[in-house]
Every structure is written in structure tokens, then in C-alpha cells.
Amino acid sequence: MATQTSPQISGNYNADLISIKQAIGENSDVHFREFMVYGFNVRAVLIFIDGMQDEEVINKQVLQVLMQDLKVDSEAITLSSIKEKILPLTELSEINELEKLQEKILFGYTALIIEGMSTALLVGLPSGSKRAITEPVSEGLLRGPRISFSEVLSENTSMLRRQGLNKNLEMKLYEVGTRIKRKLVIAYINDIVNPELLQEVKDRISKIDMDFIAESGYVEQLIEDNYMSPFQQTQNTERPDRVINSLLEGRIAILLDGTPFALIVPVTFSMLLQSPEDYYERWLPGTMYRILRFFTAFLALLSPALYISFISFHPGLIPTQLAITIIQTRQGVPFPSVIEVMILEVSIEILREAGIRLPKPIGPAMGIVGGLIIGDAAVAAGIVSPFLVIVVAVTAISSFSVPMYSTGITLRILRFAGMLFASVLGMFGTILFFLLIIIHLSKLKSFGVPYVTPFAPIRFSDWKDLYVRAPLSLMKRRPEMMKTQKKKRRS
């Protein structure tokens, strides 16, 4: 059985124009600009989508050039004369299938059809309004580059190129989405990355099968190792400097058109508590802040559970004077400690969510004022104790000190599970909960790399960038866990 071929552009101007309009359908944003190529007295049409092309380029370098009296050493206009002698454009490509032409037009390309030619030209690249390059919103720093990715893929890839000249920085382009297609790029440094890791990433990207990939969060969920785990197995970032530093460690970046968030794979738990600022400051302050983050992550996870354990099950473990103070503050509180903690924790989560959804000028103020009012009112009403307000406030502040917002969400979810364990089994339940998390993390992998490396398996050579951020002069080798082609950072 013969395969059905796609209709071709015939060169008959009227017939081709009718066929294209029928293929385009009732898309009111598709415009047809007909004109005469006066030097050769033939008709032509530009087909484009409103708002998805650079109007200055189209007007000055296509329309103005073709509509003036052309003087070309040829009796008839030809495709080669247009490409080589007439149109001053760097981006020109040919297409002769009507179905592919329709697809390209709807993707934002500008098509040029000239009477008598059986081939259409795609002039320029899709363009449109762009957001100005701004500071990263979710990863603020005091010291470091003030630049973040945008929603335009070509701008994001150029930002990586501008980080520094490297001929081995490679970017492979994919199209994802079955009904609505989007461009996706994986970036890596060819002579550093582990080939097995690179192949694994390519395989997972090529298996993505979904109508539309709206944001890089879709990609993250479709390629992760264990979707049942509460821990993220890719790192999302707005910062080009974080991406380029990860590439130099042998990792791979995934950039999707339409989102400013790039993904970095593989990821380990310690990466989620690191900030680019650790490396921009000297090693002593960098180490101090990194240790502080590990401690605050512990507080954000277990503070309420420890409070419930001590108050409800093990008050004898509390120093006598402190125990007397806590008992006095709990006088008249009608609820057990677990209900008391739940009331405040749920209130804090509601305030946090409301602060995000509100307009920016009033969101932070509402969160602060709302927290103060609710906390003070709850204490005055005798619903919670003042000591618990301090514990919950410290817990909330600790979760904000985690550099990655997604990691903070994970800790907040697990915090409620820890509170339930503590309310049933006391300190034993809290310890059991912590051990279950450790067991889960020990089994979890991100693209074949153990999630808790270099804790387990122990790789002491990688401990120079764990709790302690060693001086840069001592960090001579790339992470052993990445199994890179080139082990040394220096030639």
C-alpha cells in the first residue's frame, strides 16, 4: 500500500494561497500581507502570526527590499537570487510541504510565498515581546551576579554561553509535547560529563509523552526516579551561575522554552542546602552559614515533634526551672500539645500561602501582621501557650533559611508527619520517624547517584564541599560521585 504524501506547494499563487488559508483555518491572529515584487512584477504574500515576529526586521529587510525596484542580473526571479542577492537575512530556510508550512506558521515563523515558486521561504525566527532580565526572585543573594533566566529559551542558552568561553559546552535540542510542542535543551560539558549519565538523561527526555509541557516542573515529575518520594530529585534554579558551576562538576542542565527555571541533574540532598554565595564569600563565612543551614533544616523538620515529645511524654527530661516555666505558661490551655501545635502550624501555613497569593506590596506585610495578631490573640484567649508560639516561630523562620523553596515545602510536609509520630509514641516515635527518613534517603537515587552521597556511600574526598566549604585552593578535584571523564578541576 502506497504511503500518502503531503500536499506540496505548486507554484500556482492563487491555488497555493487558497490551500494555505484552508489549512490555517479560522485563526484570526494569522495575517496575510500581499504585495508586488516590483522588480519582477510578480505577486507575493507574507504569512505571520500577530505578535510573534520582529516587525522591524519584516518591514525593513523583507517588505521594503522586495517592494522597491529591484535590479538583479536575471530575467526572472529565482530562489537562489532571493537568498543570495536580495534578502539581507541570516535566518532563511526553505519548505515545500503545505502541512509543514502550516505547522511552522502556527509556531510563529514568517512565511514568504512568491508567485511561480514551488518553495516557500521561512524568514527570520519567531520573536515577540520579552520580559526584561531581572534579579532572581526565588534565589536572592547579597553577593553574586544579579541576573536570572527568562522565559525565552534562546536568551537562556545565550546566558550560559556568556558565562565564559568553552568550546566543549554542548546543547542538544529536543521537542516535547505531542499536541502543543515546545523546545527543550539539555546542556552539558562534553569532555567532563559521564557518558552513561548523559545517555540516561537523553533516554528519559525522549520518553516524555504528554500533550503539553507547560513548565519545567512537568519535566521534573516525568523524569524523576521515584515519584512517591517527598524529596525532589532534580534541582530547579533561576541562576545561570549555579547552572554553569553544576555543569563544571559533571552535571546536566535541562532548559525548557517558556519558563525561567532550569533543572539540574543529578542532585544530592546536600546540594539543596548549598547557596552560590557560599563560594563567593571566603571559606570561613561560607562554612559557618552552611553549617547553620543544616541546623535550621533539622529545626524546621523536628522542632514541633520534639516539643510534643517532651511536653506530653517526657517532661522529666526538661530542666526543672524550664519545666516549671512551661507548666505555668500552659495553665488554662484546654487542648493537648498535639492539637495545640496543629492549630498554630496550620495557621502559619495558611498565612504563608495567603502571603504568596496576595499582591506583592501587601503580601509580606499581611503575613507578618497576621502572624503577630493570630499569635497574640491565641495566647490571650488561652488556646495556645506563649512558649509554643516561640517554638512555631523559630520553626517557620528556620524553614525560610533553606535556599531552595521546594526543599522547604518538603520539610514542612514531613514536619506534620513527625508531629503525628510524636503524638503517638513520644520521643521513640520522633526517633523512629527520623530513622525512617534516613532509610528512605539512603535508598533514594537521582539518575543513578545515591541521594545522600557523600554520607553513604562515604566519599571523604567530597567532604571538602559538604559541611565545610574548603578553601578553593584545596578543592582540586571534581565530585567523585559524578564519575566525570576529567577528575581534576585544574589542568
Side-chain angles (χ1 to χ4, degrees), residues 35 37 46 57-58 60-67 70 72 77-93 112 114 121-124:
F35 60 96
V37 183
L46 276 174
V57 170
I58 298 301
K60 291 186 177 180
Q61 299 185 16
V62 180
L63 281 174
Q64 186 174 329
V65 170
L66 292 176
M67 292 177 71
L70 297 172
V72 181
I77 189 169
T78 62
L79 190 65
S80 60
S81 65
I82 291 176
K83 294 174 65 176
E84 297 172 8
K85 300 179 181 179
I86 299 176
L87 292 182
L89 293 168
T90 57
E91 295 291 340
L92 278 174
S93 56
L112 172 64
I114 299 177
L121 283 177
L122 299 178
V123 295

PDB file of all heavy atoms in Angstrom, residues 35 37 46 57-58 60-67 70 72 77-93 112 114 121-124:
ATOM      1  N   PHE A  35       1.601  41.624  -1.588  1.00  0.00           N
ATOM      2  CA  PHE A  35       2.275  42.764  -2.210  1.00  0.00           C
ATOM      3  C   PHE A  35       2.861  42.319  -3.546  1.00  0.00           C
ATOM      4  O   PHE A  35       2.790  41.134  -3.912  1.00  0.00           O
ATOM      5  CB  PHE A  35       3.373  43.313  -1.284  1.00  0.00           C
ATOM      6  CG  PHE A  35       4.455  42.313  -0.951  1.00  0.00           C
ATOM      7  CD1 PHE A  35       5.641  42.277  -1.672  1.00  0.00           C
ATOM      8  CD2 PHE A  35       4.279  41.396   0.091  1.00  0.00           C
ATOM      9  CE1 PHE A  35       6.634  41.368  -1.374  1.00  0.00           C
ATOM     10  CE2 PHE A  35       5.276  40.479   0.410  1.00  0.00           C
ATOM     11  CZ  PHE A  35       6.449  40.468  -0.328  1.00  0.00           C
ATOM     12  N   VAL A  37       6.265  42.156  -6.001  1.00  0.00           N
ATOM     13  CA  VAL A  37       7.723  42.247  -6.115  1.00  0.00           C
ATOM     14  C   VAL A  37       7.987  43.013  -7.411  1.00  0.00           C
ATOM     15  O   VAL A  37       7.995  42.449  -8.506  1.00  0.00           O
ATOM     16  CB  VAL A  37       8.374  40.848  -6.150  1.00  0.00           C
ATOM     17  CG1 VAL A  37       9.888  40.981  -6.187  1.00  0.00           C
ATOM     18  CG2 VAL A  37       7.934  40.035  -4.939  1.00  0.00           C
ATOM     19  N   LEU A  46       3.272  37.529   2.543  1.00  0.00           N
ATOM     20  CA  LEU A  46       3.898  37.199   3.825  1.00  0.00           C
ATOM     21  C   LEU A  46       2.802  36.704   4.770  1.00  0.00           C
ATOM     22  O   LEU A  46       1.758  37.347   4.918  1.00  0.00           O
ATOM     23  CB  LEU A  46       4.572  38.429   4.440  1.00  0.00           C
ATOM     24  CG  LEU A  46       5.988  38.769   3.977  1.00  0.00           C
ATOM     25  CD1 LEU A  46       6.410  40.097   4.583  1.00  0.00           C
ATOM     26  CD2 LEU A  46       6.978  37.684   4.379  1.00  0.00           C
ATOM     27  N   VAL A  57      12.274  43.936  11.528  1.00  0.00           N
ATOM     28  CA  VAL A  57      13.007  43.099  10.580  1.00  0.00           C
ATOM     29  C   VAL A  57      12.151  42.807   9.352  1.00  0.00           C
ATOM     30  O   VAL A  57      12.623  42.906   8.203  1.00  0.00           O
ATOM     31  CB  VAL A  57      13.446  41.787  11.268  1.00  0.00           C
ATOM     32  CG1 VAL A  57      14.001  40.803  10.244  1.00  0.00           C
ATOM     33  CG2 VAL A  57      14.488  42.077  12.336  1.00  0.00           C
ATOM     34  N   ILE A  58      10.885  42.448   9.567  1.00  0.00           N
ATOM     35  CA  ILE A  58       9.998  42.115   8.453  1.00  0.00           C
ATOM     36  C   ILE A  58       9.774  43.329   7.553  1.00  0.00           C
ATOM     37  O   ILE A  58       9.828  43.227   6.320  1.00  0.00           O
ATOM     38  CB  ILE A  58       8.650  41.586   8.988  1.00  0.00           C
ATOM     39  CG1 ILE A  58       8.860  40.291   9.787  1.00  0.00           C
ATOM     40  CG2 ILE A  58       7.685  41.343   7.837  1.00  0.00           C
ATOM     41  CD1 ILE A  58       9.497  39.177   9.012  1.00  0.00           C
ATOM     42  N   LYS A  60      11.639  46.230   7.226  1.00  0.00           N
ATOM     43  CA  LYS A  60      12.823  46.830   6.594  1.00  0.00           C
ATOM     44  C   LYS A  60      13.611  45.846   5.743  1.00  0.00           C
ATOM     45  O   LYS A  60      14.163  46.236   4.709  1.00  0.00           O
ATOM     46  CB  LYS A  60      13.729  47.433   7.666  1.00  0.00           C
ATOM     47  CG  LYS A  60      13.147  48.662   8.346  1.00  0.00           C
ATOM     48  CD  LYS A  60      14.152  49.299   9.291  1.00  0.00           C
ATOM     49  CE  LYS A  60      13.602  50.578   9.917  1.00  0.00           C
ATOM     50  NZ  LYS A  60      14.573  51.220  10.839  1.00  0.00           N
ATOM     51  N   GLN A  61      13.689  44.592   6.173  1.00  0.00           N
ATOM     52  CA  GLN A  61      14.570  43.656   5.485  1.00  0.00           C
ATOM     53  C   GLN A  61      13.833  42.693   4.561  1.00  0.00           C
ATOM     54  O   GLN A  61      14.471  41.921   3.843  1.00  0.00           O
ATOM     55  CB  GLN A  61      15.395  42.868   6.508  1.00  0.00           C
ATOM     56  CG  GLN A  61      16.275  43.762   7.350  1.00  0.00           C
ATOM     57  CD  GLN A  61      17.191  42.981   8.272  1.00  0.00           C
ATOM     58  OE1 GLN A  61      17.396  41.791   8.106  1.00  0.00           O
ATOM     59  NE2 GLN A  61      17.764  43.662   9.254  1.00  0.00           N
ATOM     60  N   VAL A  62      12.505  42.732   4.573  1.00  0.00           N
ATOM     61  CA  VAL A  62      11.748  41.877   3.654  1.00  0.00           C
ATOM     62  C   VAL A  62      10.838  42.741   2.772  1.00  0.00           C
ATOM     63  O   VAL A  62      11.055  42.849   1.563  1.00  0.00           O
ATOM     64  CB  VAL A  62      10.923  40.813   4.417  1.00  0.00           C
ATOM     65  CG1 VAL A  62      10.152  39.949   3.414  1.00  0.00           C
ATOM     66  CG2 VAL A  62      11.831  39.935   5.263  1.00  0.00           C
ATOM     67  N   LEU A  63       9.842  43.378   3.374  1.00  0.00           N
ATOM     68  CA  LEU A  63       8.885  44.146   2.577  1.00  0.00           C
ATOM     69  C   LEU A  63       9.547  45.295   1.825  1.00  0.00           C
ATOM     70  O   LEU A  63       9.358  45.456   0.610  1.00  0.00           O
ATOM     71  CB  LEU A  63       7.773  44.689   3.482  1.00  0.00           C
ATOM     72  CG  LEU A  63       6.672  43.703   3.891  1.00  0.00           C
ATOM     73  CD1 LEU A  63       5.737  44.342   4.899  1.00  0.00           C
ATOM     74  CD2 LEU A  63       5.889  43.240   2.666  1.00  0.00           C
ATOM     75  N   GLN A  64      10.333  46.094   2.533  1.00  0.00           N
ATOM     76  CA  GLN A  64      10.946  47.259   1.896  1.00  0.00           C
ATOM     77  C   GLN A  64      11.901  46.847   0.786  1.00  0.00           C
ATOM     78  O   GLN A  64      11.965  47.491  -0.264  1.00  0.00           O
ATOM     79  CB  GLN A  64      11.684  48.086   2.951  1.00  0.00           C
ATOM     80  CG  GLN A  64      12.240  49.394   2.434  1.00  0.00           C
ATOM     81  CD  GLN A  64      12.828  50.251   3.552  1.00  0.00           C
ATOM     82  OE1 GLN A  64      12.368  50.197   4.677  1.00  0.00           O
ATOM     83  NE2 GLN A  64      13.848  51.013   3.231  1.00  0.00           N
ATOM     84  N   VAL A  65      12.613  45.750   1.007  1.00  0.00           N
ATOM     85  CA  VAL A  65      13.573  45.292  -0.007  1.00  0.00           C
ATOM     86  C   VAL A  65      12.856  44.755  -1.242  1.00  0.00           C
ATOM     87  O   VAL A  65      13.225  45.059  -2.385  1.00  0.00           O
ATOM     88  CB  VAL A  65      14.496  44.213   0.599  1.00  0.00           C
ATOM     89  CG1 VAL A  65      15.340  43.547  -0.487  1.00  0.00           C
ATOM     90  CG2 VAL A  65      15.401  44.824   1.662  1.00  0.00           C
ATOM     91  N   LEU A  66      11.790  43.953  -1.043  1.00  0.00           N
ATOM     92  CA  LEU A  66      11.117  43.318  -2.174  1.00  0.00           C
ATOM     93  C   LEU A  66      10.183  44.262  -2.919  1.00  0.00           C
ATOM     94  O   LEU A  66       9.909  44.060  -4.105  1.00  0.00           O
ATOM     95  CB  LEU A  66      10.322  42.103  -1.686  1.00  0.00           C
ATOM     96  CG  LEU A  66      11.152  40.914  -1.186  1.00  0.00           C
ATOM     97  CD1 LEU A  66      10.241  39.819  -0.653  1.00  0.00           C
ATOM     98  CD2 LEU A  66      12.045  40.364  -2.295  1.00  0.00           C
ATOM     99  N   MET A  67       9.698  45.316  -2.260  1.00  0.00           N
ATOM    100  CA  MET A  67       8.742  46.210  -2.896  1.00  0.00           C
ATOM    101  C   MET A  67       9.399  47.370  -3.643  1.00  0.00           C
ATOM    102  O   MET A  67       8.723  48.117  -4.337  1.00  0.00           O
ATOM    103  CB  MET A  67       7.757  46.764  -1.849  1.00  0.00           C
ATOM    104  CG  MET A  67       6.835  45.701  -1.277  1.00  0.00           C
ATOM    105  SD  MET A  67       5.731  46.329   0.021  1.00  0.00           S
ATOM    106  CE  MET A  67       4.611  47.331  -0.947  1.00  0.00           C
ATOM    107  N   LEU A  70      13.784  46.388  -7.831  1.00  0.00           N
ATOM    108  CA  LEU A  70      14.972  45.537  -7.703  1.00  0.00           C
ATOM    109  C   LEU A  70      15.736  45.512  -9.019  1.00  0.00           C
ATOM    110  O   LEU A  70      15.167  45.471 -10.104  1.00  0.00           O
ATOM    111  CB  LEU A  70      14.556  44.116  -7.316  1.00  0.00           C
ATOM    112  CG  LEU A  70      13.857  43.986  -5.948  1.00  0.00           C
ATOM    113  CD1 LEU A  70      13.328  42.571  -5.775  1.00  0.00           C
ATOM    114  CD2 LEU A  70      14.826  44.321  -4.842  1.00  0.00           C
ATOM    115  N   VAL A  72      18.458  43.129 -10.401  1.00  0.00           N
ATOM    116  CA  VAL A  72      19.241  41.906 -10.272  1.00  0.00           C
ATOM    117  C   VAL A  72      19.572  41.425 -11.676  1.00  0.00           C
ATOM    118  O   VAL A  72      18.735  41.513 -12.592  1.00  0.00           O
ATOM    119  CB  VAL A  72      18.460  40.828  -9.495  1.00  0.00           C
ATOM    120  CG1 VAL A  72      19.292  39.567  -9.331  1.00  0.00           C
ATOM    121  CG2 VAL A  72      18.046  41.378  -8.148  1.00  0.00           C
ATOM    122  N   ILE A  77      12.858  36.132 -11.462  1.00  0.00           N
ATOM    123  CA  ILE A  77      13.208  35.965 -10.052  1.00  0.00           C
ATOM    124  C   ILE A  77      13.353  34.481  -9.735  1.00  0.00           C
ATOM    125  O   ILE A  77      12.542  33.657 -10.176  1.00  0.00           O
ATOM    126  CB  ILE A  77      12.137  36.627  -9.156  1.00  0.00           C
ATOM    127  CG1 ILE A  77      12.606  36.656  -7.708  1.00  0.00           C
ATOM    128  CG2 ILE A  77      10.795  35.927  -9.270  1.00  0.00           C
ATOM    129  CD1 ILE A  77      11.726  37.516  -6.815  1.00  0.00           C
ATOM    130  N   THR A  78      14.404  34.141  -9.008  1.00  0.00           N
ATOM    131  CA  THR A  78      14.657  32.745  -8.641  1.00  0.00           C
ATOM    132  C   THR A  78      14.918  32.656  -7.142  1.00  0.00           C
ATOM    133  O   THR A  78      15.221  33.658  -6.480  1.00  0.00           O
ATOM    134  CB  THR A  78      15.875  32.178  -9.393  1.00  0.00           C
ATOM    135  OG1 THR A  78      17.038  32.925  -9.019  1.00  0.00           O
ATOM    136  CG2 THR A  78      15.661  32.247 -10.901  1.00  0.00           C
ATOM    137  N   LEU A  79      14.799  31.435  -6.639  1.00  0.00           N
ATOM    138  CA  LEU A  79      15.021  31.220  -5.208  1.00  0.00           C
ATOM    139  C   LEU A  79      16.451  31.569  -4.827  1.00  0.00           C
ATOM    140  O   LEU A  79      16.703  32.199  -3.801  1.00  0.00           O
ATOM    141  CB  LEU A  79      14.723  29.754  -4.856  1.00  0.00           C
ATOM    142  CG  LEU A  79      14.668  29.420  -3.368  1.00  0.00           C
ATOM    143  CD1 LEU A  79      13.504  30.139  -2.707  1.00  0.00           C
ATOM    144  CD2 LEU A  79      14.551  27.915  -3.172  1.00  0.00           C
ATOM    145  N   SER A  80      17.403  31.187  -5.684  1.00  0.00           N
ATOM    146  CA  SER A  80      18.802  31.470  -5.368  1.00  0.00           C
ATOM    147  C   SER A  80      19.095  32.961  -5.385  1.00  0.00           C
ATOM    148  O   SER A  80      19.865  33.466  -4.561  1.00  0.00           O
ATOM    149  CB  SER A  80      19.717  30.737  -6.355  1.00  0.00           C
ATOM    150  OG  SER A  80      19.449  31.160  -7.682  1.00  0.00           O
ATOM    151  N   SER A  81      18.469  33.706  -6.302  1.00  0.00           N
ATOM    152  CA  SER A  81      18.715  35.151  -6.351  1.00  0.00           C
ATOM    153  C   SER A  81      18.147  35.848  -5.123  1.00  0.00           C
ATOM    154  O   SER A  81      18.725  36.809  -4.615  1.00  0.00           O
ATOM    155  CB  SER A  81      18.126  35.744  -7.630  1.00  0.00           C
ATOM    156  OG  SER A  81      16.710  35.619  -7.627  1.00  0.00           O
ATOM    157  N   ILE A  82      17.006  35.365  -4.629  1.00  0.00           N
ATOM    158  CA  ILE A  82      16.425  35.946  -3.414  1.00  0.00           C
ATOM    159  C   ILE A  82      17.329  35.704  -2.226  1.00  0.00           C
ATOM    160  O   ILE A  82      17.598  36.610  -1.424  1.00  0.00           O
ATOM    161  CB  ILE A  82      15.023  35.360  -3.163  1.00  0.00           C
ATOM    162  CG1 ILE A  82      14.041  35.852  -4.218  1.00  0.00           C
ATOM    163  CG2 ILE A  82      14.516  35.746  -1.773  1.00  0.00           C
ATOM    164  CD1 ILE A  82      12.665  35.250  -4.084  1.00  0.00           C
ATOM    165  N   LYS A  83      17.814  34.476  -2.090  1.00  0.00           N
ATOM    166  CA  LYS A  83      18.619  34.122  -0.930  1.00  0.00           C
ATOM    167  C   LYS A  83      20.008  34.747  -0.986  1.00  0.00           C
ATOM    168  O   LYS A  83      20.567  35.156   0.034  1.00  0.00           O
ATOM    169  CB  LYS A  83      18.738  32.602  -0.809  1.00  0.00           C
ATOM    170  CG  LYS A  83      17.410  31.918  -0.502  1.00  0.00           C
ATOM    171  CD  LYS A  83      17.539  30.408  -0.529  1.00  0.00           C
ATOM    172  CE  LYS A  83      18.448  29.913   0.573  1.00  0.00           C
ATOM    173  NZ  LYS A  83      18.505  28.435   0.600  1.00  0.00           N
ATOM    174  N   GLU A  84      20.583  34.836  -2.169  1.00  0.00           N
ATOM    175  CA  GLU A  84      21.981  35.242  -2.282  1.00  0.00           C
ATOM    176  C   GLU A  84      22.168  36.728  -2.583  1.00  0.00           C
ATOM    177  O   GLU A  84      23.197  37.303  -2.246  1.00  0.00           O
ATOM    178  CB  GLU A  84      22.659  34.417  -3.389  1.00  0.00           C
ATOM    179  CG  GLU A  84      22.698  32.921  -3.073  1.00  0.00           C
ATOM    180  CD  GLU A  84      23.191  32.102  -4.253  1.00  0.00           C
ATOM    181  OE1 GLU A  84      23.639  32.725  -5.250  1.00  0.00           O
ATOM    182  OE2 GLU A  84      23.123  30.859  -4.193  1.00  0.00           O
ATOM    183  N   LYS A  85      21.154  37.375  -3.207  1.00  0.00           N
ATOM    184  CA  LYS A  85      21.376  38.737  -3.670  1.00  0.00           C
ATOM    185  C   LYS A  85      20.370  39.767  -3.156  1.00  0.00           C
ATOM    186  O   LYS A  85      20.619  40.966  -3.250  1.00  0.00           O
ATOM    187  CB  LYS A  85      21.338  38.774  -5.203  1.00  0.00           C
ATOM    188  CG  LYS A  85      22.398  37.904  -5.862  1.00  0.00           C
ATOM    189  CD  LYS A  85      22.285  37.972  -7.378  1.00  0.00           C
ATOM    190  CE  LYS A  85      23.332  37.091  -8.050  1.00  0.00           C
ATOM    191  NZ  LYS A  85      23.218  37.144  -9.527  1.00  0.00           N
ATOM    192  N   ILE A  86      19.216  39.292  -2.638  1.00  0.00           N
ATOM    193  CA  ILE A  86      18.154  40.252  -2.334  1.00  0.00           C
ATOM    194  C   ILE A  86      17.905  40.405  -0.840  1.00  0.00           C
ATOM    195  O   ILE A  86      18.026  41.503  -0.292  1.00  0.00           O
ATOM    196  CB  ILE A  86      16.843  39.851  -3.059  1.00  0.00           C
ATOM    197  CG1 ILE A  86      17.060  39.862  -4.587  1.00  0.00           C
ATOM    198  CG2 ILE A  86      15.713  40.783  -2.670  1.00  0.00           C
ATOM    199  CD1 ILE A  86      15.859  39.389  -5.388  1.00  0.00           C
ATOM    200  N   LEU A  87      17.554  39.325  -0.138  1.00  0.00           N
ATOM    201  CA  LEU A  87      17.151  39.421   1.267  1.00  0.00           C
ATOM    202  C   LEU A  87      18.365  39.412   2.191  1.00  0.00           C
ATOM    203  O   LEU A  87      19.121  38.423   2.226  1.00  0.00           O
ATOM    204  CB  LEU A  87      16.207  38.267   1.640  1.00  0.00           C
ATOM    205  CG  LEU A  87      14.836  38.282   0.985  1.00  0.00           C
ATOM    206  CD1 LEU A  87      14.007  37.109   1.476  1.00  0.00           C
ATOM    207  CD2 LEU A  87      14.112  39.603   1.254  1.00  0.00           C
ATOM    208  N   PRO A  88      18.591  40.480   2.944  1.00  0.00           N
ATOM    209  CA  PRO A  88      19.757  40.559   3.853  1.00  0.00           C
ATOM    210  C   PRO A  88      19.446  39.943   5.226  1.00  0.00           C
ATOM    211  O   PRO A  88      19.466  40.611   6.260  1.00  0.00           O
ATOM    212  CB  PRO A  88      19.990  42.068   3.956  1.00  0.00           C
ATOM    213  CG  PRO A  88      18.621  42.652   3.856  1.00  0.00           C
ATOM    214  CD  PRO A  88      17.829  41.750   2.937  1.00  0.00           C
ATOM    215  N   LEU A  89      19.106  38.656   5.245  1.00  0.00           N
ATOM    216  CA  LEU A  89      18.744  37.972   6.484  1.00  0.00           C
ATOM    217  C   LEU A  89      19.683  36.806   6.749  1.00  0.00           C
ATOM    218  O   LEU A  89      20.086  36.096   5.817  1.00  0.00           O
ATOM    219  CB  LEU A  89      17.296  37.450   6.411  1.00  0.00           C
ATOM    220  CG  LEU A  89      16.186  38.504   6.359  1.00  0.00           C
ATOM    221  CD1 LEU A  89      14.862  37.855   5.997  1.00  0.00           C
ATOM    222  CD2 LEU A  89      16.074  39.211   7.692  1.00  0.00           C
ATOM    223  N   THR A  90      20.002  36.603   7.997  1.00  0.00           N
ATOM    224  CA  THR A  90      20.864  35.454   8.349  1.00  0.00           C
ATOM    225  C   THR A  90      20.062  34.168   8.457  1.00  0.00           C
ATOM    226  O   THR A  90      20.589  33.088   8.227  1.00  0.00           O
ATOM    227  CB  THR A  90      21.578  35.712   9.689  1.00  0.00           C
ATOM    228  OG1 THR A  90      20.596  35.970  10.706  1.00  0.00           O
ATOM    229  CG2 THR A  90      22.514  36.901   9.594  1.00  0.00           C
ATOM    230  N   GLU A  91      18.772  34.298   8.824  1.00  0.00           N
ATOM    231  CA  GLU A  91      17.936  33.120   9.012  1.00  0.00           C
ATOM    232  C   GLU A  91      16.971  32.983   7.841  1.00  0.00           C
ATOM    233  O   GLU A  91      15.981  33.694   7.733  1.00  0.00           O
ATOM    234  CB  GLU A  91      17.153  33.213  10.332  1.00  0.00           C
ATOM    235  CG  GLU A  91      18.027  33.189  11.577  1.00  0.00           C
ATOM    236  CD  GLU A  91      18.687  31.836  11.799  1.00  0.00           C
ATOM    237  OE1 GLU A  91      18.190  30.832  11.246  1.00  0.00           O
ATOM    238  OE2 GLU A  91      19.688  31.790  12.531  1.00  0.00           O
ATOM    239  N   LEU A  92      17.279  32.063   6.939  1.00  0.00           N
ATOM    240  CA  LEU A  92      16.435  31.761   5.787  1.00  0.00           C
ATOM    241  C   LEU A  92      16.417  30.248   5.594  1.00  0.00           C
ATOM    242  O   LEU A  92      17.468  29.614   5.543  1.00  0.00           O
ATOM    243  CB  LEU A  92      16.969  32.426   4.519  1.00  0.00           C
ATOM    244  CG  LEU A  92      16.629  33.898   4.264  1.00  0.00           C
ATOM    245  CD1 LEU A  92      17.385  34.397   3.043  1.00  0.00           C
ATOM    246  CD2 LEU A  92      15.144  34.083   4.064  1.00  0.00           C
ATOM    247  N   SER A  93      15.230  29.682   5.496  1.00  0.00           N
ATOM    248  CA  SER A  93      15.144  28.246   5.250  1.00  0.00           C
ATOM    249  C   SER A  93      14.009  27.966   4.266  1.00  0.00           C
ATOM    250  O   SER A  93      13.057  28.750   4.154  1.00  0.00           O
ATOM    251  CB  SER A  93      14.918  27.480   6.551  1.00  0.00           C
ATOM    252  OG  SER A  93      13.758  27.944   7.219  1.00  0.00           O
ATOM    253  N   LEU A 112       7.195  33.309   3.426  1.00  0.00           N
ATOM    254  CA  LEU A 112       7.169  34.134   2.219  1.00  0.00           C
ATOM    255  C   LEU A 112       6.907  33.224   1.024  1.00  0.00           C
ATOM    256  O   LEU A 112       7.670  32.295   0.756  1.00  0.00           O
ATOM    257  CB  LEU A 112       8.495  34.875   2.038  1.00  0.00           C
ATOM    258  CG  LEU A 112       8.672  35.631   0.722  1.00  0.00           C
ATOM    259  CD1 LEU A 112       7.658  36.765   0.597  1.00  0.00           C
ATOM    260  CD2 LEU A 112      10.102  36.172   0.600  1.00  0.00           C
ATOM    261  N   ILE A 114       6.144  33.332  -3.123  1.00  0.00           N
ATOM    262  CA  ILE A 114       6.260  34.186  -4.306  1.00  0.00           C
ATOM    263  C   ILE A 114       5.674  33.453  -5.508  1.00  0.00           C
ATOM    264  O   ILE A 114       5.887  32.241  -5.677  1.00  0.00           O
ATOM    265  CB  ILE A 114       7.729  34.570  -4.556  1.00  0.00           C
ATOM    266  CG1 ILE A 114       8.279  35.353  -3.356  1.00  0.00           C
ATOM    267  CG2 ILE A 114       7.877  35.390  -5.834  1.00  0.00           C
ATOM    268  CD1 ILE A 114       9.730  35.716  -3.470  1.00  0.00           C
ATOM    269  N   LEU A 121       9.691  30.317   1.639  1.00  0.00           N
ATOM    270  CA  LEU A 121      10.834  30.679   2.479  1.00  0.00           C
ATOM    271  C   LEU A 121      10.343  31.041   3.877  1.00  0.00           C
ATOM    272  O   LEU A 121       9.339  31.752   4.022  1.00  0.00           O
ATOM    273  CB  LEU A 121      11.581  31.876   1.882  1.00  0.00           C
ATOM    274  CG  LEU A 121      12.488  31.616   0.684  1.00  0.00           C
ATOM    275  CD1 LEU A 121      13.082  32.936   0.196  1.00  0.00           C
ATOM    276  CD2 LEU A 121      13.609  30.649   1.046  1.00  0.00           C
ATOM    277  N   LEU A 122      11.029  30.545   4.879  1.00  0.00           N
ATOM    278  CA  LEU A 122      10.801  30.971   6.255  1.00  0.00           C
ATOM    279  C   LEU A 122      11.841  32.032   6.572  1.00  0.00           C
ATOM    280  O   LEU A 122      13.045  31.762   6.534  1.00  0.00           O
ATOM    281  CB  LEU A 122      10.926  29.788   7.223  1.00  0.00           C
ATOM    282  CG  LEU A 122       9.939  28.642   7.003  1.00  0.00           C
ATOM    283  CD1 LEU A 122      10.214  27.522   7.999  1.00  0.00           C
ATOM    284  CD2 LEU A 122       8.501  29.121   7.128  1.00  0.00           C
ATOM    285  N   VAL A 123      11.383  33.250   6.840  1.00  0.00           N
ATOM    286  CA  VAL A 123      12.299  34.371   7.026  1.00  0.00           C
ATOM    287  C   VAL A 123      12.380  34.721   8.514  1.00  0.00           C
ATOM    288  O   VAL A 123      11.367  34.911   9.184  1.00  0.00           O
ATOM    289  CB  VAL A 123      11.859  35.598   6.200  1.00  0.00           C
ATOM    290  CG1 VAL A 123      11.954  35.287   4.724  1.00  0.00           C
ATOM    291  CG2 VAL A 123      10.441  36.015   6.542  1.00  0.00           C
ATOM    292  N   GLY A 124      13.582  34.789   9.029  1.00  0.00           N
ATOM    293  CA  GLY A 124      13.785  35.128  10.436  1.00  0.00           C
ATOM    294  C   GLY A 124      13.374  34.000  11.367  1.00  0.00           C
ATOM    295  O   GLY A 124      13.122  32.865  10.955  1.00  0.00           O
TER     296      GLY A 124
END
